[in-house]
Amino acid sequence: MPLVPTASLVQAAHEGRYGVGAFNVVHLEHAEAHVTGAEEARAGVILQISENAVRWHGRLAPLARAALAVAETARVPVAVHLDHATEPDLVDEAIALGFGSVMYDGSKLPWEQNLATTREVVAGAAGREVWVEAELGEVGGKDGVHAPGVRTDPDEARRFVEMTGVDGLAVAVGTSHAMTTRTAELDLDLIAALRKAAGVPLVLHGSSGVPDEELTRAVEAGMTKINIATHLNKVFTASVRDTLAAQPDLVDTRKYVGPARQVMASEVARLLEVLQAAERVAMT
Ligand code: G3H
Ligand code: ZN
């Protein structure tokens, strides 16, 4: 099963009321782990590269081509997504490289400006089989709208979707980015109201802070694309730490990256079960 358009994975999950895991890729081994985990779970998966990761590498193309190549050789459907892009040029580059979706993040901009730029991104993606995710702005702070006390208003969500034509919407329902404890409490009634009001698949950012049972409830209440990064890095790094502590003389990077990649893959498979995404696709 080759690289697939993000829309096909998200739409099936939205209609089937299950979650689609969207896991961040910073290094090649992330992409390998996420796909191995998805194959183990027999689930589709989204590999996402954030603007942050692009800045860290200094360019998009090398990591993007690696993620696309891993997707193309996967045995389950895999989509590749650009995450948290604030630069329209980066969005264009990702589309040209063959990404199936982009998130334009204008959440730090005033409403009017976010609206205008999001519309431009939607217009640029039109007719190119690219699924566009956006985010409502207006709230400041380190996490923007993804701070524990911040909530998306259903009526604003409806207006934003109508006025921009986006395919998916990131909403604030109680998560916060980069949490290293899984203690977030979600507003499940709000999720249900937003699903109804927005009329497009909803995206949960900062899902690392959400405990397993709450992730399942969030999906049942109406969340579709579930973004997880920090939690998987935590699992990976713990493994590296353990291996190096047990074998301080190790030099070959594969000897500690390899076990960490396997542990991350197993956690991806487990999370896909939590999201009720497992056993949904046939292996090729
Ligand atoms: O867009 C990426 C996600 O929102 C990941 O957030 O690192 O808190 O899981 P997280
Ligand atoms: Zn995010």
Side-chain angles (χ1 to χ4, degrees):
M1 181 72 66
L3 174 69
V4 298
T6 308
S8 68
L9 293 181
V10 176
Q11 212 41 49
H14 182 63
E15 283 162 21
R17 288 196 90 105
Y18 60 90
V20 56
F23 306 123
N24 286 61
V25 172
V26 181
H27 312 291
L28 169 64
E29 288 78 5
H30 283 99
E32 293 169 337
H34 303 340
V35 168
T36 301
E39 289 173 345
E40 222 170 279
R42 292 176 187 262
V45 73
I46 299 172
L47 304 179
Q48 52 186 19
I49 298 176
S50 73
E51 187 174 277
N52 261 335
V54 175
R55 288 211 185 106
W56 187 79
H57 283 283
R59 68 208 75 172
L60 171 63
L63 186 61
R65 291 207 175 100
L68 290 160
V70 171
E72 278 158 12
T73 51
R75 301 182 62 208
V76 289
V78 181
V80 179
H81 171 83
L82 177 69
D83 203 33
H84 285 290
T86 60
E87 301 288 339
D89 283 355
L90 188 62
V91 168
D92 292 343
E93 190 186 349
I95 293 175
L97 280 161
F99 281 41
S101 54
V102 295
M103 176 207 187
Y104 172 68
D105 182 354
S107 63
K108 294 195 173 64
L109 301 173
W111 165 275
E112 288 301 338
Q113 220 177 315
N114 185 10
L115 203 68
T117 321
T118 302
R119 267 188 183 144
E120 279 168 29
V121 169
V122 170
R128 302 171 77 177
E129 253 202 316
V130 176
W131 187 86
V132 179
E133 172 187 337
E135 173 167 324
L136 274 175
E138 87 175 354
V139 182
K142 181 168 83 69
D143 281 316
V145 294
H146 301 296
V150 178
R151 297 290 183 269
T152 301
D153 174 67
D155 198 49
E156 273 192 12
R158 182 186 52 74
R159 283 196 299 133
F160 189 82
V161 170
E162 278 172 10
M163 293 167 89
T164 57
V166 289
D167 304 302
L169 190 67
V171 290
V173 293
T175 54
S176 180
H177 275 123
M179 284 179 72
T180 51
T181 56
R182 302 180 81 199
T183 51
E185 287 173 26
L186 303 185
D187 193 332
L188 299 171
D189 290 340
L190 178 60
I191 293 174
L194 284 165
R195 177 178 168 112
K196 222 167 153 192
V200 294
L202 301 176
V203 184
L204 188 64
H205 282 250
S207 310
S208 290
V210 185
D212 284 350
E213 321 72 58
E214 194 78 340
L215 279 177
T216 305
R217 283 193 282 264
V219 163
E220 285 167 354
M223 297 302 309
T224 299
K225 177 172 174 275
I226 310 295
N227 292 3
I228 303 178
T230 304
H231 171 72
L232 290 169
N233 283 334
K234 206 175 140 185
V235 163
F236 184 98
T237 304
S239 166
V240 170
R241 205 172 270 127
D242 286 352
T243 307
L244 291 177
Q247 302 171 73
D249 296 333
L250 269 190
V251 169
D252 184 339
T253 54
R254 291 169 295 188
K255 295 280 188 333
Y256 55 88
V257 171
R261 180 178 58 179
Q262 188 45 56
V263 170
M264 188 185 252
S266 302
E267 184 60 5
V268 162
R270 202 192 65 77
L271 286 169
L272 290 169
E273 299 236 355
V274 169
L275 301 180
Q276 304 185 352
E279 308 297 334
R280 300 269 180 186
V281 300
M283 296 276 277
T284 57

